[in-house]
Amino acid sequence: MDITSDKMPLSVKNYPHKPGFALGALIGLILIVPVVAIFFLGDALLGLPFVPFDVFDWIARVLPGVVITFGIDIIVGIIRTFQLGETSSTAKIAEHLMAIGGLLATGVVAAAVFFFVQNRAQRRNDGAMPGLILGLAVGIPVMLISTSVNFTSTVEPTLRAVWILVVFVAWGAACNLIYNDLELMSVKANASAAAIDRRSFLLRVGGAAATITVVGAGLGALLRPNPEPDSETIAAANLDTDQVGVRPEELPNADDPVEPVPGTRAEYTPVDQHYRIDISSRPPVIDGATYTLPIKGLVDTPLNLTLDDIRNNYEAMDQFVTLQCISNPLGGDLISTTQWTGASFQKILADAGLQANAAYLRIFSADGFDETVSIDLINQDERIMLAYDWDRAPLTSLHGFPLRIYIPDRYGMKQPKWITSIEVVASDEDGYWVRRGWDEIAQMRTTSVIDTVATDSIIRRDSKFFVPIGGIAHAGAREISKVEVKVDDGEWAEAELRAPLSTTTWRIWRYEWPFEEGSHRFSVRAYDGSGTLQIEDFEGARPSGATGIISVNASL
Ligand SMILES: Nc1nc2c(c(=O)[nH]1)N[C@H]1C(S)=C(S)[C@@H](COP(=O)(O)O)O[C@H]1N2
Ligand SMILES: [Mo]
């Protein structure tokens, strides 16, 4: 029988080798890969949404906080256990892969179910309708999700919606056509000829899908605009590039004789190595030239400040800042230090004129993040600022361009980046991570870390040998007054402290341990400025930040 014949029996339910669930899964995979490539190309070329990220971000927004925390803990645990690199950027790559994997899985499952349903149908339906239904069944939810969470696309929402539906309907139509062709082959009288037909058919389909994927992804990768428009931002701000970056000799403790032990993390973190945590797959990219910050609500004079207003009308404050994520595991790398520059929040609020019942600021961000800051706190702490520079250059898009808040002594979760508006209100309201079960205050906890037991930098003094041990200690804005080291079950011994960059940054410590052969356990603990010892008991990061004493083993 000719497989292209129109004279097929209407009822095909009795034929063996009809395509079913498993073949549907395979076809689903073959066809969804080029869909990902097409979305990638649409994004790179035209600024259309890359829907795998949208769906992933949406799921991350709607899942309960505990589930998200559990997921993050697993990712961070894997990265640290297998030493896959710097935690925050590796985690972002993992999220991207999970997002793409999620769309692939959706395509596989949807096509498998589609084949299964078609297989069980009593009558053949070789029209376009089943494909249209499949395409819309996947496309409409994805379109709605993308519309609700995407803030990176530069295309009008209706066009985006049409684009997403068109791609999925084309995918559904392809699934349907292939199902029909496979079904026709399966009713061939000669079973082995049918198998050969099917194999070469699948190879052709696979070849076409691979071609679309390679061309789409390749073009997309080639034509993608530089995702980091930061050099342009620097140029637009008319900054003299010689002035960008704090030079090592300019650091306030440059001549401190207490030198970091080799292997201690950098005291001043290069911005491109600063840890980075945000709720979205991709950071919002905001145009600084047209940007304005509205400050409204319970104020006498609502403001709408441009970046120039904020840079020029308020005295620039420079502060060295150690920022840490509340999810940072003990001894982790979600903590970094750089110089922040910004405008005093007290002065800005004074210009807006707070009304009598004004008590809190609701701060909203371009990525859908939000937090609440109490006005009492701002009144008590003149260091709180709206920051626009890091390391003497405009904030990068990853780190919150054009504006972020700085609040000393609080974990990062309380400090929105990419601020788009501020509303002065009378009552408190939980912010993004607080709603998901994290600490309302999120005061940074005292922590101390051993970065290195420098067995290859042994010091010889008076014919004795010493192993230098070093690391950091941090207590938010409460300063570090003392760090102690213990070896095995010995006494706690005081370490030397390097002057910090500011009262809110970490402090580098070092301890020279009289060398003894064998294997040893080194522990560290710190006291804050009021002499309070850090919490020694182990507690995980959720909900208030990790605590406990860090120990490392070394064999000498
Ligand atoms: N708008 C916005 N601000 C945000 C976040 C975010 O996801 N969106 N993450 C917060 C968290 S949890 C941390 S730890 C810090 C991290 O700042 P960084 O990425 O610049 O290091 O930003 C905070 N501000
Ligand atoms: Mo964080």
mmCIF file of all heavy atoms in Angstrom, residues 274-280 323-326 365-367 369-370 390 398-400 404 411-418 433, ligand 1:
data_model
loop_
_atom_site.group_PDB
_atom_site.id
_atom_site.type_symbol
_atom_site.label_atom_id
_atom_site.label_comp_id
_atom_site.label_asym_id
_atom_site.label_seq_id
_atom_site.Cartn_x
_atom_site.Cartn_y
_atom_site.Cartn_z
ATOM 1 N N HIS A 274 32.636 40.173 42.563
ATOM 2 C CA HIS A 274 31.710 40.353 43.688
ATOM 3 C C HIS A 274 30.590 39.333 43.539
ATOM 4 O O HIS A 274 30.071 39.134 42.445
ATOM 5 C CB HIS A 274 31.147 41.776 43.661
ATOM 6 C CG HIS A 274 30.488 42.207 44.941
ATOM 7 N ND1 HIS A 274 29.288 41.677 45.367
ATOM 8 C CD2 HIS A 274 30.857 43.106 45.893
ATOM 9 C CE1 HIS A 274 28.953 42.260 46.522
ATOM 10 N NE2 HIS A 274 29.889 43.127 46.861
ATOM 11 N N TYR A 275 30.231 38.682 44.636
ATOM 12 C CA TYR A 275 29.145 37.713 44.548
ATOM 13 C C TYR A 275 27.897 38.425 44.059
ATOM 14 O O TYR A 275 27.777 39.645 44.132
ATOM 15 C CB TYR A 275 28.913 37.030 45.905
ATOM 16 C CG TYR A 275 27.938 37.746 46.816
ATOM 17 C CD1 TYR A 275 26.578 37.479 46.750
ATOM 18 C CD2 TYR A 275 28.375 38.708 47.723
ATOM 19 C CE1 TYR A 275 25.684 38.142 47.569
ATOM 20 C CE2 TYR A 275 27.497 39.367 48.551
ATOM 21 C CZ TYR A 275 26.144 39.089 48.470
ATOM 22 O OH TYR A 275 25.254 39.742 49.266
ATOM 23 N N ARG A 276 26.945 37.654 43.550
ATOM 24 C CA ARG A 276 25.768 38.274 42.964
ATOM 25 C C ARG A 276 24.584 37.338 43.162
ATOM 26 O O ARG A 276 24.657 36.151 42.871
ATOM 27 C CB ARG A 276 26.080 38.509 41.488
ATOM 28 C CG ARG A 276 24.909 38.760 40.623
ATOM 29 C CD ARG A 276 24.879 37.761 39.513
ATOM 30 N NE ARG A 276 23.652 37.919 38.785
ATOM 31 C CZ ARG A 276 23.449 37.456 37.581
ATOM 32 N NH1 ARG A 276 24.412 36.813 36.958
ATOM 33 N NH2 ARG A 276 22.295 37.594 37.009
ATOM 34 N N ILE A 277 23.527 37.888 43.738
ATOM 35 C CA ILE A 277 22.328 37.088 43.988
ATOM 36 C C ILE A 277 21.120 37.884 43.530
ATOM 37 O O ILE A 277 20.939 39.031 43.948
ATOM 38 C CB ILE A 277 22.160 36.794 45.502
ATOM 39 C CG1 ILE A 277 23.274 35.874 46.016
ATOM 40 C CG2 ILE A 277 20.788 36.176 45.783
ATOM 41 C CD1 ILE A 277 23.188 34.441 45.548
ATOM 42 N N ASP A 278 20.319 37.320 42.667
ATOM 43 C CA ASP A 278 19.025 37.933 42.387
ATOM 44 C C ASP A 278 17.990 36.918 41.980
ATOM 45 O O ASP A 278 18.312 35.784 41.663
ATOM 46 C CB ASP A 278 19.136 39.081 41.384
ATOM 47 C CG ASP A 278 20.157 38.834 40.324
ATOM 48 O OD1 ASP A 278 19.827 38.092 39.384
ATOM 49 O OD2 ASP A 278 21.274 39.332 40.457
ATOM 50 N N ILE A 279 16.744 37.395 42.026
ATOM 51 C CA ILE A 279 15.610 36.481 41.907
ATOM 52 C C ILE A 279 15.299 36.114 40.461
ATOM 53 O O ILE A 279 14.416 35.321 40.233
ATOM 54 C CB ILE A 279 14.346 37.102 42.553
ATOM 55 C CG1 ILE A 279 14.024 38.455 41.914
ATOM 56 C CG2 ILE A 279 14.532 37.236 44.051
ATOM 57 C CD1 ILE A 279 12.669 39.006 42.339
ATOM 58 N N SER A 280 16.011 36.681 39.513
ATOM 59 C CA SER A 280 15.654 36.439 38.110
ATOM 60 C C SER A 280 16.808 35.816 37.345
ATOM 61 O O SER A 280 17.959 35.970 37.706
ATOM 62 C CB SER A 280 15.284 37.753 37.431
ATOM 63 O OG SER A 280 14.258 38.354 38.154
ATOM 64 N N LEU A 323 29.256 43.328 51.918
ATOM 65 C CA LEU A 323 27.882 42.864 51.735
ATOM 66 C C LEU A 323 27.889 41.342 51.805
ATOM 67 O O LEU A 323 28.820 40.702 51.320
ATOM 68 C CB LEU A 323 27.357 43.323 50.369
ATOM 69 C CG LEU A 323 25.874 43.031 50.083
ATOM 70 C CD1 LEU A 323 24.979 43.894 50.966
ATOM 71 C CD2 LEU A 323 25.538 43.294 48.610
ATOM 72 N N GLN A 324 26.866 40.796 52.434
ATOM 73 C CA GLN A 324 26.782 39.344 52.525
ATOM 74 C C GLN A 324 25.344 38.901 52.301
ATOM 75 O O GLN A 324 24.408 39.575 52.718
ATOM 76 C CB GLN A 324 27.253 38.867 53.907
ATOM 77 C CG GLN A 324 27.254 37.354 54.032
ATOM 78 C CD GLN A 324 27.755 36.841 55.380
ATOM 79 O OE1 GLN A 324 28.058 35.683 55.522
ATOM 80 N NE2 GLN A 324 27.844 37.705 56.366
ATOM 81 N N CYS A 325 25.198 37.763 51.664
ATOM 82 C CA CYS A 325 23.878 37.180 51.472
ATOM 83 C C CYS A 325 23.521 36.359 52.701
ATOM 84 O O CYS A 325 24.358 35.631 53.232
ATOM 85 C CB CYS A 325 23.879 36.292 50.236
ATOM 86 S SG CYS A 325 22.261 35.555 49.915
ATOM 87 N N ILE A 326 22.274 36.456 53.113
ATOM 88 C CA ILE A 326 21.824 35.702 54.288
ATOM 89 C C ILE A 326 21.899 34.194 54.029
ATOM 90 O O ILE A 326 21.980 33.408 54.962
ATOM 91 C CB ILE A 326 20.395 36.154 54.696
ATOM 92 C CG1 ILE A 326 20.056 35.695 56.120
ATOM 93 C CG2 ILE A 326 19.346 35.659 53.702
ATOM 94 C CD1 ILE A 326 18.852 36.393 56.724
ATOM 95 N N SER A 365 11.536 47.409 42.907
ATOM 96 C CA SER A 365 12.629 47.213 41.954
ATOM 97 C C SER A 365 12.114 46.751 40.601
ATOM 98 O O SER A 365 11.020 46.185 40.499
ATOM 99 C CB SER A 365 13.588 46.148 42.487
ATOM 100 O OG SER A 365 14.127 46.539 43.705
ATOM 101 N N ALA A 366 12.953 46.932 39.595
ATOM 102 C CA ALA A 366 12.568 46.602 38.219
ATOM 103 C C ALA A 366 12.327 45.107 38.002
ATOM 104 O O ALA A 366 11.651 44.721 37.061
ATOM 105 C CB ALA A 366 13.645 47.094 37.255
ATOM 106 N N ASP A 367 12.862 44.266 38.882
ATOM 107 C CA ASP A 367 12.682 42.827 38.701
ATOM 108 C C ASP A 367 11.519 42.270 39.507
ATOM 109 O O ASP A 367 11.368 41.045 39.597
ATOM 110 C CB ASP A 367 13.974 42.073 39.071
ATOM 111 C CG ASP A 367 14.409 42.352 40.501
ATOM 112 O OD1 ASP A 367 13.882 43.308 41.122
ATOM 113 O OD2 ASP A 367 15.274 41.621 41.013
ATOM 114 N N PHE A 369 11.201 42.727 42.732
ATOM 115 C CA PHE A 369 11.640 42.616 44.128
ATOM 116 C C PHE A 369 11.154 43.850 44.884
ATOM 117 O O PHE A 369 10.917 44.901 44.288
ATOM 118 C CB PHE A 369 13.172 42.562 44.131
ATOM 119 C CG PHE A 369 13.808 42.253 45.460
ATOM 120 C CD1 PHE A 369 13.994 40.948 45.871
ATOM 121 C CD2 PHE A 369 14.272 43.276 46.281
ATOM 122 C CE1 PHE A 369 14.617 40.659 47.073
ATOM 123 C CE2 PHE A 369 14.896 42.997 47.485
ATOM 124 C CZ PHE A 369 15.072 41.685 47.884
ATOM 125 N N ASP A 370 10.981 43.708 46.216
ATOM 126 C CA ASP A 370 10.578 44.858 47.019
ATOM 127 C C ASP A 370 11.035 44.651 48.445
ATOM 128 O O ASP A 370 11.210 43.511 48.884
ATOM 129 C CB ASP A 370 9.053 45.029 46.987
ATOM 130 C CG ASP A 370 8.354 43.844 47.617
ATOM 131 O OD1 ASP A 370 8.258 42.797 46.974
ATOM 132 O OD2 ASP A 370 7.926 43.958 48.789
ATOM 133 N N TRP A 390 29.972 51.734 42.349
ATOM 134 C CA TRP A 390 30.779 50.735 43.059
ATOM 135 C C TRP A 390 32.182 50.865 42.494
ATOM 136 O O TRP A 390 32.352 50.919 41.265
ATOM 137 C CB TRP A 390 30.270 49.324 42.760
ATOM 138 C CG TRP A 390 29.306 48.760 43.760
ATOM 139 C CD1 TRP A 390 28.584 49.445 44.694
ATOM 140 C CD2 TRP A 390 28.964 47.379 43.904
ATOM 141 N NE1 TRP A 390 27.808 48.572 45.417
ATOM 142 C CE2 TRP A 390 28.021 47.290 44.954
ATOM 143 C CE3 TRP A 390 29.352 46.204 43.252
ATOM 144 C CZ2 TRP A 390 27.468 46.080 45.362
ATOM 145 C CZ3 TRP A 390 28.790 45.012 43.663
ATOM 146 C CH2 TRP A 390 27.860 44.950 44.713
ATOM 147 N N LEU A 398 24.430 43.955 36.575
ATOM 148 C CA LEU A 398 24.254 42.817 37.478
ATOM 149 C C LEU A 398 24.056 43.267 38.917
ATOM 150 O O LEU A 398 23.394 42.594 39.696
ATOM 151 C CB LEU A 398 25.482 41.898 37.439
ATOM 152 C CG LEU A 398 25.693 41.073 36.191
ATOM 153 C CD1 LEU A 398 27.000 40.297 36.300
ATOM 154 C CD2 LEU A 398 24.539 40.111 35.991
ATOM 155 N N HIS A 399 24.665 44.376 39.261
ATOM 156 C CA HIS A 399 24.676 44.780 40.666
ATOM 157 C C HIS A 399 23.724 45.936 40.957
ATOM 158 O O HIS A 399 23.858 46.589 41.983
ATOM 159 C CB HIS A 399 26.098 45.088 41.115
ATOM 160 C CG HIS A 399 26.958 43.851 41.179
ATOM 161 N ND1 HIS A 399 26.739 42.838 42.085
ATOM 162 C CD2 HIS A 399 27.990 43.438 40.412
ATOM 163 C CE1 HIS A 399 27.619 41.869 41.887
ATOM 164 N NE2 HIS A 399 28.381 42.207 40.871
ATOM 165 N N GLY A 400 22.784 46.214 40.054
ATOM 166 C CA GLY A 400 21.694 47.108 40.436
ATOM 167 C C GLY A 400 21.601 48.436 39.733
ATOM 168 O O GLY A 400 20.870 49.312 40.201
ATOM 169 N N ARG A 404 20.830 51.521 44.020
ATOM 170 C CA ARG A 404 20.492 50.545 45.040
ATOM 171 C C ARG A 404 20.665 51.208 46.395
ATOM 172 O O ARG A 404 21.326 52.233 46.512
ATOM 173 C CB ARG A 404 21.370 49.309 44.913
ATOM 174 C CG ARG A 404 22.856 49.554 45.176
ATOM 175 C CD ARG A 404 23.691 48.315 44.916
ATOM 176 N NE ARG A 404 23.311 47.207 45.788
ATOM 177 C CZ ARG A 404 23.715 45.951 45.604
ATOM 178 N NH1 ARG A 404 24.502 45.640 44.595
ATOM 179 N NH2 ARG A 404 23.335 45.007 46.433
ATOM 180 N N TYR A 411 21.805 41.993 56.136
ATOM 181 C CA TYR A 411 22.119 41.116 55.012
ATOM 182 C C TYR A 411 21.576 41.718 53.710
ATOM 183 O O TYR A 411 20.660 42.559 53.721
ATOM 184 C CB TYR A 411 21.499 39.736 55.233
ATOM 185 C CG TYR A 411 22.246 38.869 56.214
ATOM 186 C CD1 TYR A 411 21.682 38.516 57.434
ATOM 187 C CD2 TYR A 411 23.518 38.380 55.909
ATOM 188 C CE1 TYR A 411 22.356 37.693 58.333
ATOM 189 C CE2 TYR A 411 24.198 37.552 56.799
ATOM 190 C CZ TYR A 411 23.621 37.218 58.009
ATOM 191 O OH TYR A 411 24.295 36.407 58.885
ATOM 192 N N GLY A 412 22.107 41.208 52.595
ATOM 193 C CA GLY A 412 21.743 41.724 51.282
ATOM 194 C C GLY A 412 20.251 41.707 50.981
ATOM 195 O O GLY A 412 19.735 42.577 50.283
ATOM 196 N N MET A 413 19.540 40.716 51.529
ATOM 197 C CA MET A 413 18.107 40.578 51.203
ATOM 198 C C MET A 413 17.280 41.803 51.576
ATOM 199 O O MET A 413 16.172 41.973 51.076
ATOM 200 C CB MET A 413 17.516 39.346 51.900
ATOM 201 C CG MET A 413 17.613 39.404 53.416
ATOM 202 S SD MET A 413 16.591 38.165 54.270
ATOM 203 C CE MET A 413 15.064 39.059 54.526
ATOM 204 N N LYS A 414 17.801 42.666 52.468
ATOM 205 C CA LYS A 414 17.058 43.862 52.856
ATOM 206 C C LYS A 414 17.391 45.054 51.966
ATOM 207 O O LYS A 414 16.896 46.157 52.207
ATOM 208 C CB LYS A 414 17.390 44.236 54.308
ATOM 209 C CG LYS A 414 16.990 43.215 55.351
ATOM 210 C CD LYS A 414 15.498 42.986 55.422
ATOM 211 C CE LYS A 414 14.730 44.132 56.057
ATOM 212 N NZ LYS A 414 13.293 43.797 56.192
ATOM 213 N N GLN A 415 18.238 44.859 50.952
ATOM 214 C CA GLN A 415 18.820 46.005 50.252
ATOM 215 C C GLN A 415 18.572 45.946 48.742
ATOM 216 O O GLN A 415 19.410 45.458 47.981
ATOM 217 C CB GLN A 415 20.322 46.056 50.543
ATOM 218 C CG GLN A 415 20.589 45.869 52.029
ATOM 219 C CD GLN A 415 21.985 46.271 52.454
ATOM 220 O OE1 GLN A 415 22.574 47.185 51.891
ATOM 221 N NE2 GLN A 415 22.511 45.592 53.441
ATOM 222 N N PRO A 416 17.416 46.434 48.302
ATOM 223 C CA PRO A 416 17.056 46.300 46.885
ATOM 224 C C PRO A 416 18.055 46.958 45.921
ATOM 225 O O PRO A 416 18.580 48.039 46.192
ATOM 226 C CB PRO A 416 15.690 46.988 46.789
ATOM 227 C CG PRO A 416 15.155 46.973 48.182
ATOM 228 C CD PRO A 416 16.345 47.053 49.085
ATOM 229 N N LYS A 417 18.239 46.272 44.815
ATOM 230 C CA LYS A 417 18.975 46.806 43.660
ATOM 231 C C LYS A 417 17.944 47.294 42.636
ATOM 232 O O LYS A 417 16.758 47.066 42.795
ATOM 233 C CB LYS A 417 19.812 45.708 42.997
ATOM 234 C CG LYS A 417 20.722 44.938 43.942
ATOM 235 C CD LYS A 417 21.627 43.965 43.183
ATOM 236 C CE LYS A 417 21.083 42.567 43.108
ATOM 237 N NZ LYS A 417 22.055 41.589 42.565
ATOM 238 N N TRP A 418 18.397 47.930 41.550
ATOM 239 C CA TRP A 418 17.523 48.351 40.428
ATOM 240 C C TRP A 418 16.256 49.051 40.930
ATOM 241 O O TRP A 418 15.137 48.738 40.483
ATOM 242 C CB TRP A 418 17.098 47.159 39.571
ATOM 243 C CG TRP A 418 18.205 46.302 39.093
ATOM 244 C CD1 TRP A 418 19.168 46.651 38.197
ATOM 245 C CD2 TRP A 418 18.468 44.945 39.461
ATOM 246 N NE1 TRP A 418 20.010 45.589 38.000
ATOM 247 C CE2 TRP A 418 19.603 44.538 38.747
ATOM 248 C CE3 TRP A 418 17.853 44.032 40.328
ATOM 249 C CZ2 TRP A 418 20.155 43.264 38.869
ATOM 250 C CZ3 TRP A 418 18.392 42.770 40.445
ATOM 251 C CH2 TRP A 418 19.526 42.396 39.717
ATOM 252 N N TRP A 433 11.748 38.535 50.506
ATOM 253 C CA TRP A 433 12.254 37.317 51.163
ATOM 254 C C TRP A 433 11.622 37.112 52.524
ATOM 255 O O TRP A 433 11.546 35.981 53.014
ATOM 256 C CB TRP A 433 13.780 37.338 51.250
ATOM 257 C CG TRP A 433 14.424 37.030 49.927
ATOM 258 C CD1 TRP A 433 15.216 37.858 49.178
ATOM 259 C CD2 TRP A 433 14.315 35.802 49.173
ATOM 260 N NE1 TRP A 433 15.600 37.228 48.017
ATOM 261 C CE2 TRP A 433 15.066 35.973 47.989
ATOM 262 C CE3 TRP A 433 13.659 34.597 49.385
ATOM 263 C CZ2 TRP A 433 15.175 34.969 47.022
ATOM 264 C CZ3 TRP A 433 13.766 33.597 48.426
ATOM 265 C CH2 TRP A 433 14.520 33.790 47.250
HETATM 266 N N1 LIG B 1 15.909 44.110 43.051
HETATM 267 C C1 LIG B 1 16.593 43.177 43.728
HETATM 268 N N2 LIG B 1 17.395 43.557 44.715
HETATM 269 C C2 LIG B 1 18.091 42.640 45.417
HETATM 270 C C3 LIG B 1 17.953 41.269 45.129
HETATM 271 C C4 LIG B 1 17.115 40.895 44.044
HETATM 272 O O1 LIG B 1 16.962 39.721 43.691
HETATM 273 N N3 LIG B 1 16.441 41.881 43.365
HETATM 274 N N4 LIG B 1 18.651 40.350 45.870
HETATM 275 C C5 LIG B 1 19.061 40.772 47.199
HETATM 276 C C6 LIG B 1 19.972 39.821 47.821
HETATM 277 S S1 LIG B 1 19.273 38.410 48.433
HETATM 278 C C7 LIG B 1 21.295 40.087 47.975
HETATM 279 S S2 LIG B 1 22.283 39.029 48.847
HETATM 280 C C8 LIG B 1 21.906 41.296 47.381
HETATM 281 C C9 LIG B 1 23.061 40.896 46.499
HETATM 282 O O2 LIG B 1 23.634 42.001 45.868
HETATM 283 P P1 LIG B 1 24.722 41.752 44.745
HETATM 284 O O3 LIG B 1 24.134 40.772 43.775
HETATM 285 O O4 LIG B 1 25.018 43.043 44.128
HETATM 286 O O5 LIG B 1 25.921 41.152 45.439
HETATM 287 O O6 LIG B 1 20.991 42.036 46.613
HETATM 288 C C10 LIG B 1 19.709 42.146 47.175
HETATM 289 N N5 LIG B 1 18.914 43.061 46.406
#
